[in-house]
Amino acid sequence: MTRSSQSAPRAFVAGWPVAHSRSPLIHRYWLKELGIEGAYDPVAVAPKEVDEFFQNLVKSSEFIGGNVTIPHKEAAFRACALVTDTARRLGAVNTLWIENNQLRGDNTDGAGFTANLDQNAEGWDANPGRAVVIGAGGAARAVLVALEARGFEQIRIVNRTRPKAEALARFLGMELEVLPWENRTRALADATFLVNTTSLGMTGQPPLDLDLSALAETALVTDIVYSPLRTGLLLEAAQKRLQIVDGLGMLLHQAAPGFARWFGKVPQVTEKLRSVLLADLEA
Ligand code: NAP
């Protein structure tokens, strides 16, 4: 069935696996809240089928666009006829839409990261000092570019696999101070901003073993892991009376630009939406 024969616009989240994705919960909440007749569905796309899936999007007209999650963000980037400057810089796309019969893409992870901090720690970037980024995976890419855009010039990065952090610095064309994993605690000396972008601390994963004593007293600590909401890192930072921001807001804010494009209304990230997500995470 083509979309022209359907009344309601339909968007997707594509990943492998995809069942864990909270994106349907977020978009369906906004559809209902804003009274929009539309749909948002998870689509499990196996790696061997991913190129075909993206190629078919324009022809089939089944969807108006969608989100892309692990492990397909690079394949989505390659499939697009046109991407935003941000997506080009990151080499990865998490938001797709069809325009002028073309597949187009953006990457909103970095925008989600900064919007979360803007909402929950106003002025966090007023005097950018030294930032430390733990991790060098896909999410770290977006976080690094976002920090650079907000004026952080001294950024240290620490990753278990050091060559990956070095490769990331080259890929992004950024001057990062890359430190070995064993020195991660020392890397925090005088830092005013710390973010964990690894999966450590997530439910079912080992904790992030890090002594926060060397951080500046004014430091802001944030974690992009949002399950649990208060990770071990955030609990320790709170105990040391450092300012903390959890990662749930990043997830919510990165979803907003796609929703606005597909369904024509700018959605709000509210406490009510947060509580819906929290209830699901705790279920
Ligand atoms: P990824 O590309 O697979 O990168 C994983 C990172 O974690 C790498 O730096 C990896 O280090 C590190 N890591 C994994 N296991 C480790 C271990 N045992 N010890 C030390 N380091 C380890 O994943 P990603 O897409 O960047 O996602 C990372 C996390 O961020 C996930 O938990 C994801 O759910 C979360 N996330 C949250 C949001 C949000 O909206 N809040 C958005 C995106 C991602 P190596 O390079 O050494 O393997």
Side-chain angles (χ1 to χ4, degrees), residues 20 69-70 73-74 109 112-113 116 134-141 158-162 164-165 181 196-200 202 205-208 223-226 246-254:
H20 67 284
T69 186
I70 293 171
K73 292 183 187 182
E74 279 90 359
D109 281 334
F113 174 73
N116 183 33
I134 310 284
R141 273 192 222 184
V158 187
N159 193 49
R160 175 181 59 178
T161 313
R162 187 177 176 175
K164 281 200 200 168
W181 186 247
N196 172 44
T197 72
T198 72
S199 47
L200 294 173
M202 195 169 130
Q205 297 291 318
L208 171 62
D223 200 328
I224 73 163
V225 169
Y226 54 83
D246 66 63
L248 184 56
M250 175 177 173
L251 178 75
L252 302 174
H253 282 285
Q254 64 77 33

Side-chain angles (χ1 to χ4, degrees), residues 54 67-80 82-97 104-110 137-142 145 168 171-172:
F54 290 136
N67 287 123
V68 183
T69 186
I70 293 171
H72 297 325
K73 292 183 187 182
E74 279 90 359
F77 172 75
R78 289 192 298 272
C80 285
L82 211 68
V83 295
T84 60
D85 289 347
T86 308
R88 189 173 307 109
R89 178 98 194 268
L90 300 177
V93 154
N94 75 343
T95 304
L96 290 167
W97 68 98
R104 300 191 177 185
D106 189 11
N107 192 309
T108 64
D109 281 334
R141 273 192 222 184
V145 170
L168 185 55
F171 177 81
L172 295 174

Side-chain angles (χ1 to χ4, degrees), residues 27-44:
H27 290 278
R28 288 170 183 171
Y29 172 90
W30 281 330
L31 285 169
K32 195 166 170 223
E33 189 80 0
L34 294 167
I36 296 171
E37 205 186 318
Y40 185 100
D41 296 312
V43 183

